[in-house]
Amino acid sequence: ARRPRPCSVRELELTVSELGLGYDSDETVLLRYCSGQCTAHRHNYDITMEHMMKAGFKGRRDKVSKGPCCRPTAFEKNFSFLDNKSRYHTIHNVSAKNCGCV
Amino acid sequence: ARRPRPCSVRELELTVSELGLGYDSDETVLLRYCSGQCTAHRHNYDITMEHMMKAGFKGRRDKVSKGPCCRPTAFEKNFSFLDNKSRYHTIHNVSAKNCGCV
Amino acid sequence: SGPRAQSEWVDCIQASDMCNQNPHCSSRYRVMRQCLVGKEKEVMLDNNRECQAALEVLLVSPLYDCRCKRGMKKELQCLQNYWTIHMGLNEGGDMDDSSPYEPVPPNRHPDAFRLASISSGCPDAEKNCNPCLDAAKACNLNNSCKKQRSSYIAICSKGETCSKRRCHRALRMFLDRVHPEFSHRLLFCPCQTEGCAERRRQTIVPDCSYIEGEKPNCLELRKICRQDSLCRSRLADYLANCWMPPHTASTCPNQDNHQACLSSFTRLIGTEMTPNYVDNRFSDWVISPWCTCEGSGNQEEECMNFLHYFTNNTCLSELFHTHTHACISNVQSITVCQQCARTFRHSLFRSTNTMFLMFIKPLKNRITPPESGRDRLRFLHFVTL
Amino acid sequence: LYFPQNEYIETVYVGQTAGTPILQVHAMMDHDYERPHFYLCYLSSIRRPPYYSSWFHLDINTGVLYLNKTLEESDFTSLNQRLRSVKKLVLHAMVLPNVPKKLNCVSKNSPRITLDFVNATLPQCAQTDMKELCFPHRDTANPHIMENRFPGAIRQLRRLTRLNVCPNYTISYNVESDSPAPFAVNENSTELVVTAPLDREESECYRLLLVCTVRTEMVITKVETSLDVFVMDEDDNAPYVNGTDITDVVISFNRTKGGSYGTLFVFDRDLTPIYPIDKSHSKYVGTLLNGDSWINKTFEIKGTFSEKKSAQGGIRETVHDYQLVLKRNLYVNENRSVQLDYLVNDTTYPGLEGTVLLHFNITVLPVHIRFANVTHTYTLTRRASVYAQVGKVCVENCQQFDGFSVTYRLEVPERNISADLQSCYDAISITQGPGEMWGLLYVNDSETLRRPECQDLQYMVVAQEEHTEQEASTQIHIILDGEARKGSRESPQLLSCAENRRRGDCESRRGIGATTGRCQWRQGTEKGISEHYSTCSPDLRTCPDGYCDAVESKDSSICPQDCTKETVIGGHERGVGNGIKAGHGTCYCYSERCFCEKEDIEEALCD
């Protein structure tokens, strides 16, 4: 089976309306997002957390993340567009500039 | 209903053996880990990712994190102990020093 | 001798350096700069012996014949050096300046084809195609264009708290840094719907960059523009590359070089003389700076003539004609005083180029149709019996 | 003397001989005793005339420009104008009623003569079409004639450079116009002549049709072209009032500095240009005629003018409007009637009637600070949270007040009551926003509300005007409803209702500012970003309403929907200044930021 792709920036072209933020605009945007595996970036902490989750957290019900998350480490500053009623909007931090396991 | 607790450092006392790293030592360690809500730290990116996941990522099967993760932002340097066979060991990055939504 | 080859022109920064290396020239250059400071420059130039002597020396220095390259580094400084000499030479009054930029090379390859990519219209089949939306999409998919576009929009669309000065600077940066293939397409996309035309009008975020309280008189706006080296230079360049007197054969200067006109029009955006579409009409559109000729008193004709550089520009309107079958807003000259039109009982239809004249009953029909342009010459031949 | 035309254009060719006439400039008389003397002069700053000026001579009396020498090819090449196949010679003409010692060109009234010097010989008759023969190649500027002046020649119709090109042609001109126009052609001199003084107020422009008739033995050809002749305005009309020159003004509730209270109009059939700004505005001057210091200290008249077209003929004229403006806020007890007379003077009108007198009859009424004689009763549940809004108190007509301020305070009417009962009155307070004319009653201490001994609360609300300290008071009665509970303690840190993202959580939780004790849910219905977004509010009557009022601004968690200045994530539109004007789906706020997103949200978990 193919080795799972590591956490990296992916690109997807969609209209602003398709972002799901409620804006009605047919302008397109190249959305950059983060996806991929972070197993290679785990620490002892993560192994311990995984064990604790399996062994039951000494009666606690705290939720913890099982390992590093593939997340944006920086966002593209802002993205401005004209909506279908000819009004300008600017959205901040909607597209990832860099990704990393954090 | 109680307001979900925000992401913060939690503490748990357990023995080194209970860390699940395979060491056999009855010494105890105050394990610090991260847990709690990160919903208040989401960005437009996260709302969009969530929408994309629901709307089906234009045919893609990329897995993305639906929001910021409550993760260690710094680890306690290292932790040394004597195992039950009187040998010293040092473990790195097993306990969180600070937590944050990333 | 034909137009100078591109490289022959000395730019006005080099010319200034050359002058400064020559004591005879540099001293006069310093004097001339003093002569032009403050409001009394007309008096100083006319009556001050030192100013006149300085000008005579500078006339034979490299500074007289220097020009600036569009988009060059230190462009503003080059333009300031140019005007140091040519402000003194200008014939005064309201004569139009000559452009400080290097003349546009002759139009070797008719750019109609390249223009097609900028202003590709809508295939008739595609009903709701919107070339201006396509232009925005193309920009958003290009990293640099998207970044620069978002930058000026974020600055210009701050509502009541927008700063016109900062918005103008951001617009100039966008137009300087982004390839004309993207910027011209956003500005000159041909429309066949009001929605598209409104998007085109919104390109420069007019609420901040264009509209500002009551419209000044156009002659006042021209005066303000001429007090700023950048605006003065780009207005002169626009007139040099876009304005053809009404009854000349070609529609654009420099052998119908539309591209040169588009570029110099675009470079006016972000100055005091920023032009824009005045409304969202898609066919009969009108482009104008934010000014009026109301209240011109006895200078209404001069004001209208200046306004016609924008509202009656055959080079600009011709540009779209081939691509959008838009009716040319080829308005001859909008009759300066409506009363003239009425007294002579002929009417200029805004959108068509036909004119009905009371005419003397001809024995023979006309030889040549009336030409476009202000003095509609008519030939009526009679054969004496 | 003035030039009707500020630009002349003609073409000159190699080989044209000395003495060849090129064009003729014309000057119009301002006074009948004036005789024009024409000169060439040099505008450019270097007093030295361009060297080619010696090639030309301007006849001092006729204004005809002649060649002084035969033009050679060497003259063409001597001009160091690069890039030009046709080189431009620029001269300036000047006219004076006498012979001056020194010629000093004044750019404003020195028409520019532009000669296109072509490096070729003059086209022969065969190569010259009728148009070239009859009229100059490129359209020259249109004549501008000052109204009320003398008749005279305004333009030479004949193309002087082509006089002898076709010797056997006879060329004549005549002028036609659709409506009667005082223009004719002097057949001897072929000059276009204005035959009578013009009146701009009657006609601003004449469109003439110039007809050039070229006769040869066989053929008569007529070539026509149109010419617009503009009539320049001078101040020859006195200002007049159309209708009334008097207006009655009543100043009452709104008495604020800068407020405008009455307008009178003055008309002028002349023009008032707005360019150039610095000069054009001084034409009309207005003066307050009253010596009364109170009037001078209190009122001013603001005049503005605009251009309009007359109903008859669409001739441009000017409308001046004069507004009575307050220079300061008026106290509420100011009570007087005055008449203000304002003299408008058209300073450039030569005649005697250049002034108009305007009258403003001003009545300043006092403002009485009083409450409507109604007992204000409010019902409040004992479960209300701190900062819950109880109601609004306002003296009569307060919504129309401007220019002064009224402050409100609560007082306990009964003096001799126990300390315990006295403390009941801590439950309610009153506050007011900057510039607001009403007071907002709100819960100041929710614990006190729940004490059994605190039954009905009767307060006196006292309203006081800032300057005159005029006071009015009224009684308000707050009925506490619901079950009292001894010693109940509210959780120290009440949550913001806005944190709740779903109806269930919202309506089941207490929140700061909640009037019923529970938060209230507003369900949005529209798709996309809408002003009617779903949200959880302490009191749907006041939050969200797009206005961060005096109570809401006391704590940012009361109504962040109206007051937040923090980041808003998700589709939204900001209110003016702060708050969320419109949002996508449900808007909810934590202390750090707000979110607007679609409703169906489970808890966002890490994967």
Side-chain angles (χ1 to χ4, degrees), chain A residues 10-14 18-21 31-36 43-49 51-52 57-58 60 62-65 67-72 75 91-96 102, chain B residues 10-14 18-21 31-36 43-49 51-52 57-58 60 62-65 67-72 75 91-96 102:
Chain A
R10 313 289 167 81
E11 282 184 352
L12 187 61
E13 183 184 326
L14 52 151
E18 288 169 326
L19 289 173
L21 295 172
L31 178 68
R32 290 196 175 88
Y33 62 95
C34 304
S35 179
H43 301 280
N44 284 323
Y45 172 86
D46 299 302
I47 296 170
T48 295
M49 285 302 118
H51 170 73
M52 302 293 296
F57 234 74
K58 291 195 114 179
R60 295 198 184 191
D62 285 345
K63 292 193 188 81
V64 292
S65 78
C69 304
C70 178
R71 288 286 300 170
F75 287 102
I91 323 179
H92 303 278
N93 302 341
V94 70
S95 191
V102 292
Chain B
R10 313 282 168 86
E11 288 180 350
L12 191 61
E13 189 183 322
L14 58 163
E18 287 170 322
L19 289 175
L21 297 172
L31 177 68
R32 287 195 175 82
Y33 62 94
C34 302
S35 176
H43 298 282
N44 284 318
Y45 170 86
D46 300 303
I47 294 178
T48 292
M49 285 303 115
H51 171 76
M52 302 299 298
F57 235 72
K58 285 201 143 182
R60 296 195 185 190
D62 285 346
K63 264 184 76 204
V64 292
S65 81
C69 299
C70 180
R71 288 283 303 166
F75 287 101
I91 328 176
H92 301 279
N93 298 341
V94 70
S95 184
V102 292

Side-chain angles (χ1 to χ4, degrees), chain C residues 167-178:
Chain C
C167 175
H168 276 179
R169 188 171 356 114
L171 272 168
R172 292 200 305 270
M173 269 167 66
F174 170 75
L175 295 168
D176 281 348
R177 293 180 178 177
V178 169

Side-chain angles (χ1 to χ4, degrees), chain C residues 65 298 301 337 340 343 377, chain D residues 82 131 142 144 178 205 233:
Chain C
D65 236 348
N298 287 334
E301 190 200 20
C337 63
C340 255
T343 49
L377 299 176
Chain D
R82 241 187 311 286
K131 187 173 57 142
N142 292 313
H144 287 66
D178 188 57
C205 165
D233 182 46

Side-chain angles (χ1 to χ4, degrees), chain C residues 8 36 79 83-84 129 139 167 183 207 211 229 237 239 271 273 275 280 353 362:
Chain C
E8 280 180 42
L36 296 176
L79 297 173
W83 291 115
T84 303
C129 108
C139 177
C167 175
S183 56
D207 288 353
I211 295 164
S229 294
D237 203 42
L239 298 183
T271 68
M273 197 58 75
N280 59 5
N353 189 6

Side-chain angles (χ1 to χ4, degrees), chain D residues 171-187:
Chain D
I171 298 178
S172 63
Y173 295 87
N174 68 307
V175 62
E176 298 166 9
S177 84
D178 188 57
S179 56
F183 294 91
V185 175
N186 179 329
E187 275 156 18

Side-chain angles (χ1 to χ4, degrees), chain C residues 69-71 75 99 101-102 104-105 111 114-115 118 171-172 175-176 178-185 187-188 230 233-242 252-254 257-271 275 310 313 315-316 319:
Chain C
K69 289 188 175 55
R70 296 172 187 81
E75 177 183 345
S99 171
Y101 292 103
E102 287 182 3
V104 173
D111 51 17
R114 271 199 59 233
L115 277 178
I118 292 172
L171 272 168
R172 292 200 305 270
L175 295 168
D176 281 348
V178 169
H179 194 277
E181 177 197 349
F182 292 109
S183 56
H184 287 192
R185 207 173 156 197
L187 289 166
F188 306 113
L230 189 68
S233 306
R234 293 186 174 185
L235 176 60
D237 203 42
Y238 168 72
L239 298 183
N241 293 327
C242 271
C252 287
N254 309 312
N257 191 337
H258 286 108
Q259 194 56 45
C261 170
L262 284 196
S263 298
S264 49
F265 173 89
T266 304
R267 284 156 55 79
L268 258 182
I269 294 171
T271 68
F310 296 92
N313 192 310
C315 185
L316 280 182
L319 192 131

